[in-house]
Amino acid sequence: MATTLTKEPSRTAAQHARPPRRRLGDRPNWLGGAISWIWLLVVIVPIYWIVITSFKSQSNYYAENPFAPPAEPTLANYELVIESGFIRYFVNSLVVAIGAVAPAVAVSFMAAYAIVRGGGSRFLRSTNSLFLMGLAIPLQATVIPIYLIIIRLHLYDTLLALILPSIAFAIPLSVLVLSNFIRDVPKELFESMRLDGASEWGTLWHLALPLTRPAVVTVTIYNALAIWNGFLLPLILTQSPEQRTLPLALASFQGQYSINVPAVLAAVVLTTLPILVLYVLGRRQLLAGLTAGFSK
């Protein structure tokens, strides 16, 4: 018995003295870190070049190192772009983006709620299948039918001609994302709201909407980005310069300033600022919406 008592403490001390083994997941991933830094440079370098070049004059752009900061920064390129009707194009893009995103997200949220809460209905199941089929139809395949419909409705060369198709193409993906988030809401919460006397509209706006706010922000930013950068619909459905949006105006700036590269890049910077501000305001909700399913 005494021998046993003297051997076990020495074995325990040896185990404590031995350094813990490093698990495979604790090893530094040098390859992944190197690839991440390379990818960061791939993304940052073009942005850096666009920003510094927009502050250079046309003569200094060809005389200086393209990646060197401007020796004499100037705002002449931005003034030139603004004087060339940029404000009008900006307002047109803003009207199209807000006019398409707001109804698309609202309709998608109500449709997703109806699909989830009334899943036993055959009509709602077929409606959900119809929305899923909309994801398989590319925009390019519907350009000619959309053009003919807009002509018949006498909406050609108007901002409404851009808003209506944008709403239709934003709804399918929005319904898919929002319905998945609404399914994650515990059914007990809906039942408790119903027992308290809340109507379906009250449950929709006072329970489902606050709990799925990250998803709503995610689809809002995604649709706003897609509509803001849309080029094909403005190209097909508008003709006059008064109805141009920013992506289409950038093409005209490139034609107008085919040699003045700093002016073109100044227009690019001004075009990306609204999306950057939208991301900064909703970045927390956007990240929460994109990573919500990874912790399950």
Side-chain angles (χ1 to χ4, degrees):
M1 189 68 173
T3 306
T4 306
L5 292 177
T6 55
K7 287 184 178 180
E8 288 189 357
S10 60
R11 184 185 303 173
T12 306
Q15 291 177 353
H16 285 290
R18 185 183 304 169
R21 294 182 179 179
R22 177 178 292 179
R23 294 177 298 178
L24 183 61
D26 295 338
R27 296 178 182 177
N29 189 356
W30 298 106
L31 179 60
I35 294 176
S36 300
W37 280 104
I38 293 174
W39 179 250
L40 180 63
L41 291 176
V42 170
V43 174
I44 291 296
V45 169
I47 297 176
Y48 166 78
W49 176 75
I50 290 173
V51 173
I52 65 170
T53 305
S54 65
F55 291 100
K56 294 181 180 180
S57 62
Q58 184 177 2
S59 58
N60 292 336
Y61 170 73
Y62 292 101
E64 298 178 354
N65 184 355
F67 291 97
E72 298 178 356
T74 178
L75 296 176
N77 299 316
Y78 293 91
E79 296 176 357
L80 181 61
V81 171
I82 292 175
E83 292 174 357
S84 301
F86 183 86
I87 300 298
R88 176 184 300 171
Y89 307 143
F90 177 85
V91 172
N92 291 342
S93 293
L94 192 63
V95 170
V96 172
I98 296 177
V101 170
V105 173
V107 171
S108 301
F109 182 73
M110 291 185 289
Y113 179 84
I115 290 171
V116 173
R117 294 291 295 159
S121 174
R122 181 178 300 178
F123 172 75
L124 292 176
R125 287 201 303 268
S126 60
T127 303
N128 189 28
S129 301
L130 184 63
F131 285 136
L132 294 178
M133 289 177 57
L135 295 173
I137 302 175
L139 174 62
Q140 294 79 5
T142 61
V143 167
I144 295 179
I146 289 175
Y147 175 79
L148 295 177
I149 292 174
I150 294 299
I151 292 294
R152 293 290 181 88
L153 295 176
H154 303 285
L155 296 176
Y156 182 75
D157 200 23
T158 63
L159 296 181
L160 191 58
L162 305 179
I163 293 175
L164 296 179
S166 299
I167 294 175
F169 281 99
I171 287 178
L173 182 60
S174 301
V175 170
L176 177 63
V177 174
L178 293 174
S179 59
N180 289 332
F181 269 78
I182 295 176
R183 286 191 184 96
D184 294 336
V185 178
K187 295 181 179 180
E188 292 78 9
L189 296 179
F190 291 107
E191 294 175 358
S192 63
M193 288 285 290
R194 297 292 295 176
L195 292 176
D196 290 338
S199 62
E200 288 292 344
W201 282 102
T203 306
L204 172 67
W205 298 114
H206 298 292
L207 177 63
L209 180 59
L211 294 179
T212 59
R213 185 175 300 170
V216 174
V217 175
T218 299
V219 297
T220 299
I221 295 179
Y222 177 82
N223 291 326
L225 180 62
I227 295 172
W228 187 270
N229 294 329
F231 181 82
L232 185 59
L233 288 180
L235 179 65
I236 301 298
L237 301 179
T238 60
Q239 183 178 10
S240 60
E242 292 77 12
Q243 305 299 331
R244 287 177 180 170
T245 57
L246 284 177
L248 198 61
L250 283 178
S252 65
F253 281 137
Q254 292 179 7
Q256 186 176 359
Y257 309 119
S258 56
I259 302 177
N260 194 348
V261 177
V264 176
L265 298 183
V268 172
V269 172
L270 292 176
T271 303
T272 56
L273 283 179
I275 295 298
L276 180 61
V277 172
L278 183 62
Y279 171 76
V280 170
L281 294 178
R283 66 187 184 278
R284 293 184 179 179
Q285 300 291 336
L286 177 62
L287 293 176
L290 292 176
T291 60
F294 288 93
S295 60
K296 299 180 181 180

